[in-house]
Amino acid sequence: MDFWLRAWHFIPSVVVGCVAITVLYLYAIGPLRRQYDLGPPVQRSRVIVFLLGVLIIFLALVSPLDELGDDYLFSAHMVQHLLITLVAPPMMLWGIPGWLLTPLLRNRLLFRLARVLTLPVVTFFLFNADIFLWHAPPLYDATLENEGIHVLEHITFIAFSFLFWWPVLSPLEGELGPLPLPGQVLYLFLSGMPMVLLGAGLTFVPPLYAPYLAAPRIWGISASTDQQLGGLIMWVPANILVIVLMSVLFIRWMLEQERRQEERERLAWQREEEEERLRALEQSSGEAGTGPRSEGVSENESQGTDVSLSSSTRRERPGEQSS
């Protein structure tokens, strides 16, 4: 219990960074937005989620979890990495309004750079290559022995995590917008595979990282069990999170398909109704036109017969007189 109370390390770079991000975000979506009429107000739920994402990064890096992961347990380090890559960045990205980024992208060079960096194939490669690189034993051991390298590791984790989540949660539209829903599902499915492989590998191989072999054993967890647990954390919980999000996106896609099908059926039904109405109008117009013409023909025929009779009568009268 004493460990959880004393092992808080308020690292200046982390404190200043988190405070600066929070202040800048609140200023941008508040006074700056109103002053320059940048866009509509941000939903309160999005603001709360963004701030929670910042808080998670702050707690992951200054709480006893950081010391536990650095000095004692590989598995605790994996929990920390999970928080700063798969939990906090998507929360923060979801809280950023598109109009906040649009002015920055008016610069042609920045727009071209952003267009390349946010391509799904690029984000997939950068994120997973970064994860694999830092878990190579030489580099991983170096992060535990050198604080500067450790800070660089965390910076790349967070930066590439934002890129990783961009094809799914981009706040922009057009070229820099998110993938269509089927593409998002496929992207997450494929992106989870490398972490599954790395987690499974760490679970089934002997201990790889020298600092944990020499670390004091706590809670009766051996170095081998600790690494197995860390591999399972990367393998199972991380992918459960991805699977849950994939399921949500898949359900949204199915609902959207159903809505589109209903809309197509409604439009087809309206067209059929309109065609039926036009056919009925044409039929009624045709019947109305046929009636007077028939009457006219009958009258003309009648008049013609009367004229013929009268002419015949007139021709017979002189014969009668002569007889």
Side-chain angles (χ1 to χ4, degrees):
M1 184 64 181
D2 181 60
F3 171 81
W4 296 104
L5 295 176
R6 66 170 177 80
W8 289 78
H9 302 286
F10 295 95
I11 306 166
S13 60
V14 175
V15 175
V16 172
C18 289
V19 170
I21 289 173
T22 302
V23 171
L24 288 173
Y25 175 78
L26 293 177
Y27 175 73
I29 66 171
L32 191 67
R33 179 191 66 82
R34 291 191 292 270
Q35 181 179 354
Y36 294 100
D37 193 25
L38 297 176
V42 182
Q43 296 175 356
R44 183 175 300 178
S45 59
R46 289 180 177 262
V47 177
I48 292 173
V49 169
F50 179 91
L51 296 178
L52 284 176
V54 177
L55 180 62
I56 287 172
I57 289 180
F58 177 78
L59 293 177
L61 298 178
V62 305
S63 72
L65 179 64
D66 184 59
E67 182 175 333
L68 188 65
D70 289 352
D71 299 336
Y72 300 100
L73 295 174
F74 172 78
S75 54
H77 215 166
M78 290 304 97
V79 173
Q80 183 188 55
H81 290 175
L82 178 66
L83 292 175
I84 66 175
T85 57
L86 298 184
V87 178
M91 294 174 69
M92 295 173 65
L93 188 58
W94 189 71
I96 298 175
W99 52 256
L100 187 59
L101 301 176
T102 301
L104 301 176
L105 297 173
R106 288 173 185 158
N107 182 289
R108 186 171 299 178
L109 179 61
L110 285 178
F111 177 80
R112 289 177 178 175
L113 181 62
R115 185 170 57 183
V116 172
L117 290 178
T118 57
L119 288 172
V121 65
V122 175
T123 61
F124 172 89
F125 174 78
L126 290 177
F127 176 77
N128 287 293
D130 187 59
I131 294 289
F132 271 81
L133 179 67
W134 286 112
H135 283 85
L139 268 180
Y140 193 97
D141 292 350
T143 64
L144 299 179
E145 296 166 358
N146 187 302
E147 185 60 25
I149 298 177
H150 202 176
V151 170
L152 177 62
E153 176 197 38
H154 288 164
I155 290 174
T156 60
F157 276 168
I158 295 171
F160 290 136
S161 294
F162 272 95
L163 291 178
F164 170 75
W165 288 105
W166 190 273
V168 178
L169 297 171
S170 168
L172 299 175
E173 297 179 354
E175 290 185 79
L176 298 180
L179 290 168
L181 285 175
Q184 294 178 31
V185 174
L186 180 61
Y187 172 79
L188 288 175
F189 173 76
L190 295 176
S191 298
M193 294 298 101
M195 291 192 71
V196 169
L197 294 175
L198 181 57
L202 292 171
T203 301
F204 295 113
V205 299
L208 298 174
Y209 307 113
Y212 294 117
L213 289 172
R217 308 296 356 133
I218 61 173
W219 302 329
I221 300 176
S222 67
S224 178
T225 302
D226 178 37
Q227 182 172 298
Q228 290 173 353
L229 182 59
L232 286 172
I233 289 171
M234 180 181 288
W235 182 2
V236 180
N239 281 279
I240 286 177
L241 178 64
V242 173
I243 290 171
V244 168
L245 184 55
M246 283 174 52
S247 301
V248 171
L249 293 173
F250 183 77
I251 292 172
R252 282 182 55 193
W253 177 40
M254 296 304 294
L255 291 175
E256 184 176 309
Q257 292 297 109
E258 183 178 350
R259 181 184 60 79
R260 289 181 179 178
Q261 181 63 27
E262 290 177 352
E263 182 67 15
R264 285 194 292 267
E265 291 176 355
R266 184 182 66 82
L267 291 175
W269 180 72
Q270 287 181 346
R271 284 195 298 269
E272 289 179 2
E273 272 200 335
E274 184 66 19
E275 291 171 359
E276 287 289 338
R277 188 178 67 83
L278 290 174
R279 282 197 294 268
L281 285 174
E282 291 175 358
Q283 185 176 359
S284 62
S285 298
E287 291 176 353
T290 303
R293 283 195 298 272
S294 299
E295 292 176 0
V297 170
S298 300
E299 290 175 0
N300 290 337
E301 289 177 352
S302 175
Q303 291 175 0
T305 304
D306 293 343
V307 170
S308 299
L309 288 173
S310 61
S311 299
S312 175
T313 303
R314 282 194 299 271
R315 284 194 298 271
E316 289 176 355
R317 282 177 183 173
E320 290 175 355
Q321 290 176 357
S322 60
S323 60

Coordinates of all heavy atoms in Angstrom, one line a residue, residues 119-173:
L119 N -2.3 7.8 -45.0 CA -2.7 6.7 -45.8 C -2.7 5.4 -45.0 O -1.8 5.2 -44.2 CB -1.7 6.5 -47.0 CG -1.7 7.5 -48.1 CD1 -0.5 7.3 -49.0 CD2 -3.0 7.5 -48.8
P120 N -3.8 4.6 -45.1 CA -3.9 3.4 -44.2 C -2.7 2.5 -44.2 O -2.2 2.0 -43.2 CB -5.1 2.7 -44.7 CG -5.9 3.8 -45.3 CD -5.0 4.8 -45.9
V121 N -2.1 2.3 -45.4 CA -0.9 1.4 -45.5 C 0.3 2.0 -44.7 O 1.1 1.3 -44.1 CB -0.6 1.1 -47.0 CG1 -0.1 2.4 -47.7 CG2 0.5 0.1 -47.1
V122 N 0.4 3.4 -44.8 CA 1.5 4.0 -44.0 C 1.3 4.0 -42.5 O 2.2 3.7 -41.8 CB 1.6 5.5 -44.5 CG1 2.7 6.2 -43.7 CG2 2.0 5.5 -46.0
T123 N 0.0 4.3 -42.1 CA -0.2 4.3 -40.7 C -0.1 2.9 -40.1 O 0.4 2.7 -39.0 CB -1.7 4.8 -40.4 OG1 -2.6 4.0 -41.0 CG2 -1.8 6.2 -40.9
F124 N -0.5 1.9 -40.9 CA -0.4 0.5 -40.4 C 1.1 0.1 -40.2 O 1.5 -0.4 -39.2 CB -1.0 -0.4 -41.5 CG -0.8 -1.9 -41.3 CD1 -1.6 -2.7 -40.5 CD2 0.3 -2.5 -41.9 CE1 -1.4 -4.0 -40.4 CE2 0.6 -3.9 -41.7 CZ -0.3 -4.6 -40.9
F125 N 1.9 0.5 -41.2 CA 3.3 0.1 -41.2 C 4.0 0.9 -40.0 O 4.8 0.3 -39.2 CB 4.0 0.4 -42.5 CG 5.5 0.2 -42.5 CD1 6.0 -1.0 -42.5 CD2 6.3 1.3 -42.3 CE1 7.4 -1.2 -42.5 CE2 7.7 1.2 -42.3 CZ 8.2 -0.1 -42.4
L126 N 3.8 2.2 -39.9 CA 4.5 3.0 -38.9 C 4.2 2.5 -37.5 O 5.1 2.4 -36.7 CB 4.2 4.5 -39.1 CG 4.7 5.2 -40.3 CD1 4.2 6.6 -40.4 CD2 6.2 5.1 -40.3
F127 N 2.9 2.3 -37.2 CA 2.5 1.9 -35.9 C 3.1 0.6 -35.5 O 3.7 0.4 -34.4 CB 1.0 1.9 -35.8 CG 0.5 1.4 -34.5 CD1 0.5 2.2 -33.4 CD2 0.0 0.1 -34.3 CE1 0.0 1.8 -32.1 CE2 -0.5 -0.3 -33.1 CZ -0.5 0.5 -32.0
N128 N 2.9 -0.4 -36.4 CA 3.3 -1.8 -36.0 C 4.9 -1.9 -36.0 O 5.5 -2.6 -35.2 CB 2.7 -2.8 -36.9 CG 1.2 -3.0 -36.6 OD1 0.9 -3.5 -35.6 ND2 0.4 -2.6 -37.5
A129 N 5.5 -1.2 -37.0 CA 7.0 -1.3 -37.0 C 7.5 -0.6 -35.7 O 8.5 -1.1 -35.2 CB 7.5 -0.5 -38.3
D130 N 6.9 0.5 -35.3 CA 7.4 1.1 -34.1 C 7.2 0.2 -32.8 O 8.1 0.1 -32.0 CB 6.6 2.4 -33.8 CG 7.1 3.2 -32.7 OD1 8.3 3.6 -32.7 OD2 6.3 3.5 -31.7
I131 N 6.1 -0.5 -32.8 CA 5.9 -1.4 -31.7 C 6.9 -2.5 -31.7 O 7.5 -2.9 -30.6 CB 4.5 -2.1 -31.7 CG1 3.4 -1.0 -31.5 CG2 4.3 -3.2 -30.7 CD1 3.3 -0.5 -30.1
F132 N 7.2 -3.1 -32.8 CA 8.1 -4.2 -32.9 C 9.5 -3.7 -32.6 O 10.3 -4.4 -32.0 CB 8.1 -4.9 -34.3 CG 7.1 -6.0 -34.4 CD1 5.7 -5.8 -34.6 CD2 7.5 -7.3 -34.3 CE1 4.8 -6.8 -34.7 CE2 6.6 -8.4 -34.4 CZ 5.3 -8.1 -34.6
L133 N 9.9 -2.6 -33.1 CA 11.2 -2.0 -33.0 C 11.6 -1.8 -31.5 O 12.6 -2.3 -31.0 CB 11.3 -0.7 -33.7 CG 12.7 0.0 -33.6 CD1 13.8 -0.8 -34.3 CD2 12.6 1.4 -34.2
W134 N 10.7 -1.2 -30.7 CA 10.9 -0.9 -29.3 C 10.9 -2.1 -28.5 O 11.4 -2.1 -27.3 CB 10.0 0.2 -28.8 CG 10.3 1.5 -29.3 CD1 9.5 2.3 -30.2 CD2 11.4 2.3 -29.0 NE1 10.1 3.5 -30.4 CE2 11.3 3.6 -29.7 CE3 12.5 2.1 -28.2 CZ2 12.2 4.6 -29.6 CZ3 13.5 3.2 -28.1 CH2 13.3 4.4 -28.8
H135 N 10.3 -3.2 -28.9 CA 10.3 -4.5 -28.1 C 11.5 -5.4 -28.5 O 11.5 -6.5 -27.9 CB 9.0 -5.2 -28.3 CG 7.9 -4.6 -27.5 ND1 7.1 -3.5 -28.0 CD2 7.4 -4.8 -26.3 CE1 6.2 -3.1 -27.1 NE2 6.4 -3.9 -26.0
A136 N 12.3 -5.0 -29.4 CA 13.6 -5.7 -29.6 C 14.4 -5.6 -28.4 O 14.6 -4.5 -27.8 CB 14.3 -5.1 -30.8
P137 N 14.9 -6.7 -27.8 CA 15.6 -6.7 -26.5 C 16.7 -5.6 -26.4 O 16.7 -4.9 -25.3 CB 16.2 -8.1 -26.4 CG 15.2 -8.9 -27.2 CD 14.8 -8.1 -28.3
P138 N 17.6 -5.3 -27.3 CA 18.6 -4.3 -27.1 C 17.9 -2.9 -26.9 O 18.4 -2.2 -26.0 CB 19.4 -4.3 -28.4 CG 19.2 -5.7 -28.9 CD 17.8 -6.1 -28.6
L139 N 16.9 -2.6 -27.7 CA 16.3 -1.2 -27.6 C 15.5 -1.2 -26.3 O 15.4 -0.2 -25.6 CB 15.5 -0.9 -28.8 CG 16.1 -0.2 -29.9 CD1 15.2 0.1 -31.1 CD2 16.7 1.2 -29.4
Y140 N 14.7 -2.2 -26.0 CA 13.9 -2.3 -24.8 C 14.7 -2.1 -23.6 O 14.4 -1.3 -22.7 CB 13.1 -3.6 -24.8 CG 12.0 -3.5 -23.8 CD1 10.7 -3.2 -24.2 CD2 12.2 -3.7 -22.4 CE1 9.6 -3.2 -23.2 CE2 11.2 -3.7 -21.5 CZ 9.9 -3.4 -21.9 OH 8.9 -3.4 -21.0
D141 N 15.8 -2.8 -23.5 CA 16.7 -2.7 -22.3 C 17.3 -1.3 -22.2 O 17.4 -0.7 -21.1 CB 17.9 -3.7 -22.5 CG 17.4 -5.1 -22.3 OD1 16.2 -5.3 -22.0 OD2 18.2 -6.0 -22.6
A142 N 17.6 -0.7 -23.4 CA 18.1 0.7 -23.4 C 17.1 1.7 -22.8 O 17.4 2.7 -22.1 CB 18.5 1.1 -24.8
T143 N 15.8 1.5 -23.1 CA 14.8 2.4 -22.6 C 14.7 2.3 -21.1 O 14.3 3.4 -20.4 CB 13.4 2.1 -23.2 OG1 13.0 0.8 -22.8 CG2 13.4 2.1 -24.7
L144 N 15.0 1.2 -20.5 CA 14.9 1.1 -19.0 C 16.2 1.6 -18.4 O 16.1 1.9 -17.2 CB 14.7 -0.4 -18.7 CG 13.4 -1.1 -19.2 CD1 13.4 -2.5 -18.7 CD2 12.2 -0.3 -18.7
E145 N 17.2 1.8 -19.1 CA 18.5 2.3 -18.6 C 18.7 3.7 -18.9 O 19.5 4.4 -18.2 CB 19.6 1.4 -19.1 CG 19.5 -0.1 -18.7 CD 20.5 -1.0 -19.4 OE1 21.2 -0.4 -20.3 OE2 20.5 -2.2 -19.2
N146 N 18.1 4.3 -19.9 CA 18.3 5.7 -20.3 C 17.0 6.4 -20.4 O 16.1 6.0 -21.2 CB 19.0 5.7 -21.6 CG 19.4 7.1 -22.0 OD1 18.6 8.0 -22.2 ND2 20.7 7.3 -22.3
E147 N 16.8 7.4 -19.5 CA 15.5 8.1 -19.5 C 15.2 8.8 -20.8 O 14.0 8.9 -21.2 CB 15.5 9.1 -18.3 CG 14.1 9.7 -18.1 CD 13.0 8.8 -17.8 OE1 13.3 7.7 -17.2 OE2 11.9 9.1 -18.0
G148 N 16.2 9.4 -21.4 CA 16.0 10.1 -22.7 C 15.4 9.1 -23.8 O 14.5 9.5 -24.5
I149 N 16.0 8.0 -23.9 CA 15.5 7.0 -24.8 C 14.1 6.5 -24.5 O 13.2 6.3 -25.3 CB 16.5 5.8 -24.9 CG1 17.8 6.2 -25.4 CG2 15.9 4.7 -25.8 CD1 18.9 5.1 -25.4
H150 N 13.8 6.4 -23.2 CA 12.5 6.0 -22.7 C 11.5 7.1 -23.1 O 10.4 6.7 -23.5 CB 12.5 5.8 -21.2 CG 11.4 5.0 -20.7 ND1 11.3 4.6 -19.4 CD2 10.4 4.4 -21.3 CE1 10.3 3.8 -19.2 NE2 9.7 3.7 -20.4
V151 N 11.8 8.4 -22.9 CA 10.9 9.4 -23.3 C 10.6 9.4 -24.8 O 9.5 9.5 -25.3 CB 11.5 10.8 -22.9 CG1 10.6 11.9 -23.5 CG2 11.5 10.9 -21.4
L152 N 11.7 9.2 -25.6 CA 11.5 9.1 -27.0 C 10.6 7.9 -27.4 O 9.8 8.0 -28.3 CB 12.9 8.9 -27.7 CG 12.9 8.7 -29.2 CD1 12.3 9.9 -29.9 CD2 14.3 8.4 -29.7
E153 N 10.7 6.8 -26.7 CA 9.8 5.6 -27.0 C 8.4 6.0 -26.8 O 7.5 5.8 -27.6 CB 10.2 4.5 -26.0 CG 9.3 3.3 -26.2 CD 9.4 2.3 -25.0 OE1 9.6 2.8 -23.9 OE2 9.3 1.1 -25.2
H154 N 8.1 6.7 -25.7 CA 6.7 7.1 -25.4 C 6.2 8.1 -26.4 O 5.0 8.1 -26.8 CB 6.6 7.7 -23.9 CG 6.8 6.6 -22.9 ND1 7.1 6.9 -21.6 CD2 6.7 5.3 -23.0 CE1 7.1 5.8 -20.9 NE2 6.9 4.8 -21.7
I155 N 7.1 9.0 -26.8 CA 6.6 10.0 -27.8 C 6.3 9.3 -29.1 O 5.2 9.7 -29.7 CB 7.7 11.1 -28.0 CG1 7.9 12.0 -26.8 CG2 7.4 11.9 -29.2 CD1 9.0 12.9 -26.8
T156 N 7.1 8.4 -29.6 CA 6.8 7.7 -30.8 C 5.5 6.9 -30.7 O 4.7 6.8 -31.6 CB 8.0 6.9 -31.3 OG1 8.3 5.9 -30.3 CG2 9.2 7.7 -31.6
F157 N 5.4 6.2 -29.5 CA 4.2 5.4 -29.3 C 2.9 6.3 -29.5 O 2.0 5.9 -30.2 CB 4.2 4.8 -27.9 CG 4.9 3.5 -27.8 CD1 5.3 3.0 -26.6 CD2 5.3 2.8 -28.9 CE1 5.9 1.8 -26.4 CE2 6.0 1.6 -28.8 CZ 6.3 1.1 -27.6
I158 N 2.9 7.4 -28.8 CA 1.7 8.3 -28.8 C 1.5 8.9 -30.2 O 0.4 8.9 -30.7 CB 1.8 9.4 -27.8 CG1 1.8 8.8 -26.4 CG2 0.7 10.4 -27.9 CD1 2.2 9.8 -25.3
A159 N 2.6 9.4 -30.8 CA 2.5 10.0 -32.2 C 2.0 9.0 -33.2 O 1.0 9.3 -34.0 CB 3.8 10.6 -32.6
F160 N 2.6 7.8 -33.3 CA 2.2 6.9 -34.3 C 0.8 6.3 -33.9 O 0.1 5.8 -34.9 CB 3.2 5.8 -34.4 CG 4.5 6.2 -35.1 CD1 5.7 5.9 -34.6 CD2 4.5 7.1 -36.2 CE1 6.9 6.3 -35.1 CE2 5.6 7.5 -36.8 CZ 6.8 7.1 -36.3
S161 N 0.4 6.3 -32.7 CA -0.9 5.8 -32.3 C -2.0 6.8 -32.9 O -3.1 6.3 -33.3 CB -1.1 5.7 -30.8 OG -0.2 4.7 -30.3
F162 N -1.7 8.1 -32.8 CA -2.7 9.0 -33.4 C -2.8 8.7 -34.9 O -3.9 8.7 -35.5 CB -2.2 10.5 -33.2 CG -2.7 11.0 -31.9 CD1 -1.9 11.0 -30.8 CD2 -4.0 11.6 -31.9 CE1 -2.4 11.6 -29.6 CE2 -4.4 12.2 -30.7 CZ -3.6 12.2 -29.5
L163 N -1.7 8.5 -35.6 CA -1.7 8.1 -37.0 C -2.5 6.8 -37.3 O -3.3 6.7 -38.2 CB -0.3 8.0 -37.6 CG 0.4 9.4 -37.7 CD1 1.8 9.1 -38.3 CD2 -0.3 10.4 -38.6
F164 N -2.2 5.9 -36.4 CA -2.9 4.5 -36.5 C -4.4 4.7 -36.5 O -5.1 4.0 -37.2 CB -2.4 3.6 -35.4 CG -3.2 2.3 -35.3 CD1 -2.9 1.3 -36.2 CD2 -4.1 2.1 -34.3 CE1 -3.7 0.1 -36.1 CE2 -4.8 1.0 -34.2 CZ -4.6 -0.1 -35.1
W165 N -4.9 5.5 -35.6 CA -6.3 5.6 -35.4 C -7.0 6.6 -36.4 O -8.2 6.6 -36.5 CB -6.7 6.1 -34.0 CG -6.4 5.0 -33.0 CD1 -5.4 4.9 -32.1 CD2 -7.3 3.9 -32.8 NE1 -5.6 3.8 -31.3 CE2 -6.7 3.1 -31.7 CE3 -8.4 3.4 -33.4 CZ2 -7.2 1.9 -31.3 CZ3 -9.0 2.2 -32.9 CH2 -8.4 1.5 -31.8
W166 N -6.2 7.3 -37.2 CA -6.7 8.3 -38.1 C -7.7 7.7 -39.2 O -8.7 8.3 -39.4 CB -5.5 9.0 -38.8 CG -6.0 10.2 -39.6 CD1 -6.4 10.3 -40.9 CD2 -6.1 11.6 -39.1 NE1 -6.8 11.5 -41.3 CE2 -6.6 12.3 -40.2 CE3 -5.8 12.2 -37.9 CZ2 -6.8 13.7 -40.1 CZ3 -6.0 13.5 -37.8 CH2 -6.5 14.3 -38.8
P167 N -7.3 6.6 -39.9 CA -8.3 6.1 -40.9 C -9.6 5.7 -40.3 O -10.6 5.5 -41.1 CB -7.5 4.8 -41.4 CG -6.1 5.1 -41.2 CD -6.1 5.8 -39.8
V168 N -9.7 5.6 -39.0 CA -11.0 5.2 -38.4 C -11.7 6.4 -37.7 O -12.9 6.5 -37.8 CB -10.8 4.1 -37.3 CG1 -12.1 3.7 -36.6 CG2 -10.1 2.9 -37.9
L169 N -11.0 7.3 -37.1 CA -11.6 8.4 -36.3 C -11.2 9.7 -36.8 O -11.3 10.7 -36.1 CB -11.1 8.2 -34.9 CG -11.5 7.0 -34.2 CD1 -10.8 6.9 -32.8 CD2 -13.1 6.9 -34.0
S170 N -10.8 9.9 -38.1 CA -10.4 11.2 -38.6 C -11.6 12.2 -38.5 O -12.7 11.9 -38.9 CB -10.0 11.1 -40.1 OG -9.9 12.4 -40.7
P171 N -11.3 13.4 -38.0 CA -12.4 14.4 -37.9 C -12.6 15.2 -39.2 O -13.5 16.0 -39.2 CB -11.9 15.3 -36.8 CG -10.4 15.2 -36.9 CD -10.1 13.8 -37.3
L172 N -11.8 14.9 -40.2 CA -11.9 15.6 -41.4 C -12.7 14.9 -42.5 O -13.1 13.7 -42.2 CB -10.5 15.9 -42.0 CG -9.6 16.7 -41.1 CD1 -8.2 16.8 -41.7 CD2 -10.1 18.1 -40.9
E173 N -12.9 15.5 -43.6 CA -13.6 14.9 -44.7 C -12.7 14.9 -46.0 O -11.6 15.5 -46.0 CB -14.9 15.6 -45.0 CG -15.9 15.6 -43.8 CD -17.2 16.3 -44.1 OE1 -17.2 17.0 -45.2 OE2 -18.1 16.3 -43.3

